Amino acid sequence: MKILLIHIKELLQIRDKSVIMVAGEEMKILPKLENAFLLIEDEIISDFGLMENCPELAVDRVIDLSGQSVLPSWVDSHTHIVYAGNRQQEFVDRINGLSYEEIFNRGGGILNSAKKLQETTEEDLYEQSKVRLEEVIRQGTGAVEIKSGYGLNLESELKMLRVIKKLGENYPIKIKATFLGAHAFPTIYKDNHEGYIQLIIDEMIPAIAKEKLADYIDAFLETGYFSVEETERIMQAGQKYGLAAKIHVNQFTAIGGIAACVKNKALTVDHLEIVTDEDIAVLKNSTTMPVALPTCSYFISIPYTPARKMIDAGLPLALASDFNPGTTPSGNMNFVVATACIKMKMTPEEAINAATINGAYAMGVSDEYGSITRGKKASLIITKPLNSFYEIPYAFASQHIDRVILEGKLI
Ligand code: NIG
Ligand code: FE
C-alpha cells in the first residue's frame, strides 16, 4: 500500500536518522519543509521532500493537504493509562482544601486506586483502559509507555501488565510497559517496608521477567514513599533482568534521588518539579533524560519543572502526560505542549521537540518514532488548516487534529 501526501503546508520535525535527541540550544530548532510531499509505503515513511521534487509514482492513494500541516505523532513516555474506576471524590476533596499528601495519609491516593484495581477483573480492566487508549490515539499519540503500580501485590501487578500487553497487541500504537511495584507501600506492609522490598525483588521482578511483561522498572522515590537506598536496590534488581530504570523523582522533595538514578544509568528521571543546582550538574554529561509532566503540576497545583533553567544549562528535556487517575486524568499531549509553553516558558519548537524526538528517546523507541525520518514508522498527525504550528500551543484548547495515521493506516 502506497499513500502520497501532497501540498503539505508545513512538514515538521524532519530529521536525519542519526539524531536521537536534542539538548540545550538545539531544542530551539524544529527543522521543517514548507509545501512538501511525504510518501508512505506500508507502515513506513519511505520518502519526503519539497513539492517541486515530488516523484511521479503509481500509488494507491493521493491525499491533497493544501493548508494543512504534518508532524510525527506524539510520543508519550510516561503514563498510568491502565487503572480501575476514578478518583473524582479526591478531586473535589482537594478543591475543598485537602492536599495530595493529606489524602494519601488518610488511605486515599495510590492506595485508593490499588483497592479498586484489586477488585476489578482483568477483562473489565482491559475494557476500561482501552477507552483511554482510543482517546489518546485520537489526540495524536502514536507511542506510549504505560506503567503498572496500582496492583501492589504479585497477582494484581501481573493483571495490569497483561492488560498492557493485550492493548499493545490489539492497537496500532507502540506500547512499552514499565513495572512500578514500588509505587506505594501496601497497607499490610506499612510497618514492614523491608518485607515489601523483598517481595518486589525476590518474587515480583522474576515472575514479570519470566512472562516478559515489562521493558522498564520504576519506583516512586519520594519522602514518605521509597527512599534513595530502597530505590537503588530496586533499580539494580531490575537491571539483572534487563529492565532499565525510569524513576518518579523530585516531585515534592529533592533528597539526592537524581544522583542515585544517574549513577544507576536510569534511562529517565521523571516529574522534577523540585530541581536543585546539584541535580542539574549531575544530569549534565549523563545519558539520563529528564522528563517533565506539566499537566500534573496544573491539575494538583504544584510547581512546574524549571524547564528554562534546565534547557539553558544545556540539558535535554522530554514532555509526557502522566495520564493517571490521581494527579493527571488526561493524556492530551496537545495540552501538555501548550502548558509547557504557557507555564514553563518553553518555546513551541522546544515543546514539540520535547514531545516527539526526546519523548522517543525517553521510551527507547528512537529508531522508529519521534521524527519524520526515512525508514521510521509512518505514525503522523495531520492538522486542520493552521496559520503556523505556533497555533498548536497558542489556541491551547482547540482541537487541531484533522486525522491521524498510525503505522501507515489512516485512523
Ligand atoms: O506520577 N507520583 C506518583 N505517581 C503518580 C500519581 C499516582 C496517583 O496519585 O495515582 C504520578 O503523579
Ligand atoms: Fe507518574
Side-chain angles (χ1 to χ4, degrees):
M1 178 83 171
K2 286 187 187 173
I3 304 175
L4 182 64
L5 310 181
I6 58 169
H7 296 299
I8 302 165
K9 181 172 173 165
E10 293 182 304
L11 179 62
L12 301 160
Q13 189 63 302
I14 53 166
R15 297 278 179 184
D16 197 73
K17 204 160 176 84
S18 61
V19 180
I20 56 165
M21 57 112 139
V22 285
E25 283 288 307
E26 299 159 356
M27 287 190 70
K28 291 192 169 60
I29 298 160
L30 185 67
K32 65 171 185 174
L33 289 177
E34 286 176 23
N35 195 18
F37 77 90
L38 185 140
L39 179 65
I40 299 167
E41 283 189 54
D42 300 323
E43 76 280 8
I44 299 294
I45 298 171
S46 68
D47 199 9
F48 61 87
L50 291 171
M51 267 318 284
E52 62 206 51
N53 301 323
C54 186
E56 294 208 1
L57 285 171
V59 296
D60 300 285
R61 189 158 175 193
V62 177
I63 305 177
D64 188 333
L65 292 178
S66 295
Q68 298 177 261
S69 292
V70 171
L71 64 156
S73 298
W74 305 124
V75 180
D76 190 352
S77 66
H78 180 141
T79 82
H80 311 246
I81 282 178
V82 171
Y83 60 81
N86 65 72
R87 305 236 294 275
Q88 290 169 4
Q89 185 56 50
E90 292 180 9
F91 169 60
V92 178
D93 291 343
R94 271 189 295 102
I95 294 171
N96 286 324
L98 286 185
S99 69
Y100 183 74
E101 192 184 3
E102 284 164 338
I103 290 167
F104 179 73
N105 291 337
R106 291 174 176 208
I110 294 165
L111 296 180
N112 180 356
S113 286
K115 185 165 180 296
K116 290 187 166 80
L117 190 133
Q118 287 161 7
E119 292 163 353
T120 303
T121 64
E122 191 172 314
E123 291 69 32
D124 190 10
L125 187 62
Y126 177 82
E127 292 302 316
Q128 292 186 38
S129 304
K130 79 173 199 199
V131 175
R132 292 184 281 271
L133 191 70
E134 288 170 9
E135 183 185 34
V136 302
I137 287 172
R138 286 195 300 274
Q139 290 169 338
T141 297
V144 64
E145 180 256 21
I146 309 177
K147 300 172 192 298
S148 69
Y150 293 123
L152 305 186
N153 62 44
L154 178 60
E155 182 199 336
S156 299
E157 284 294 311
L158 286 172
K159 176 165 70 184
M160 286 189 82
L161 290 162
R162 288 182 189 130
V163 167
I164 297 171
K165 182 175 176 195
K166 195 165 155 202
L167 290 169
E169 286 164 359
N170 292 348
Y171 287 87
I173 177 170
K174 180 74 173 183
I175 293 183
K176 290 270 187 179
T178 299
F179 169 55
L180 175 54
H183 201 185
F185 286 99
T187 314
I188 50 163
Y189 287 98
K190 195 159 70 77
D191 301 314
N192 177 18
H193 285 190
E194 183 56 26
Y196 190 56
I197 301 289
Q198 280 174 13
L199 180 72
I200 290 175
I201 293 176
D202 298 337
E203 291 181 39
M204 291 188 184
I205 295 175
I208 287 159
K210 193 163 161 225
E211 273 193 58
K212 295 195 172 53
L213 287 174
D215 303 291
Y216 299 110
I217 191 153
D218 194 349
F220 188 12
L221 197 177
E222 184 56 69
T223 307
Y225 293 81
F226 291 80
S227 69
V228 173
E229 187 263 330
E230 288 163 347
T231 306
E232 283 208 76
R233 286 170 62 200
I234 288 164
M235 285 192 274
Q236 287 159 11
Q239 252 168 28
K240 289 205 185 104
Y241 289 89
L243 309 178
K246 288 169 63 62
I247 303 292
H248 283 74
V249 64
N250 286 43
Q251 183 176 6
F252 302 109
T253 56
I255 53 174
I258 292 178
C261 293
V262 167
K263 190 176 94 193
N264 286 281
K265 303 211 164 7
L267 177 63
T268 66
V269 283
D270 303 42
H271 269 289
L272 316 176
E273 286 84 346
I274 308 297
V275 178
T276 65
D277 291 345
E278 295 80 69
D279 292 329
I280 290 178
V282 163
L283 283 166
K284 286 270 290 189
N285 305 315
S286 81
T287 54
T288 301
M289 173 71 74
V291 181
L293 311 167
T295 47
C296 170
S297 300
Y298 175 81
F299 189 70
I300 63 166
S301 303
I302 60 174
Y304 287 87
T305 300
R308 239 343 347 117
K309 193 170 169 187
M310 295 167 74
I311 296 170
D312 292 347
L315 290 180
L317 189 65
L319 287 169
S321 74
D322 199 19
F323 197 168
N324 77 77
T327 69
T328 330
S330 162
N332 187 330
M333 287 295 286
N334 303 265
F335 187 59
V336 169
V337 165
T339 307
C341 294
I342 297 162
K343 295 292 182 186
M344 291 156 65
K345 301 277 175 261
M346 290 173 72
T347 64
E349 290 86 349
E350 287 172 333
I352 293 173
N353 276 321
T356 55
I357 196 156
N358 285 1
Y361 179 95
M363 63 176 276
V365 295
S366 313
D367 53 338
E368 291 184 316
Y369 296 85
S371 62
I372 302 294
T373 300
R374 287 177 191 84
K376 283 198 182 182
K377 294 277 188 206
S379 290
L380 312 168
I381 294 171
I382 300 176
T383 71
K384 292 178 180 166
L386 301 177
N387 291 314
S388 83
F389 70 88
Y390 286 179
E391 200 165 333
I392 295 172
Y394 168 77
F396 66 91
S398 296
Q399 171 55 270
H400 297 296
I401 297 176
D402 180 34
R403 64 208 310 189
V404 296
I405 295 182
L406 285 186
E407 300 181 356
K409 288 180 213 57
L410 283 157
I411 306 293

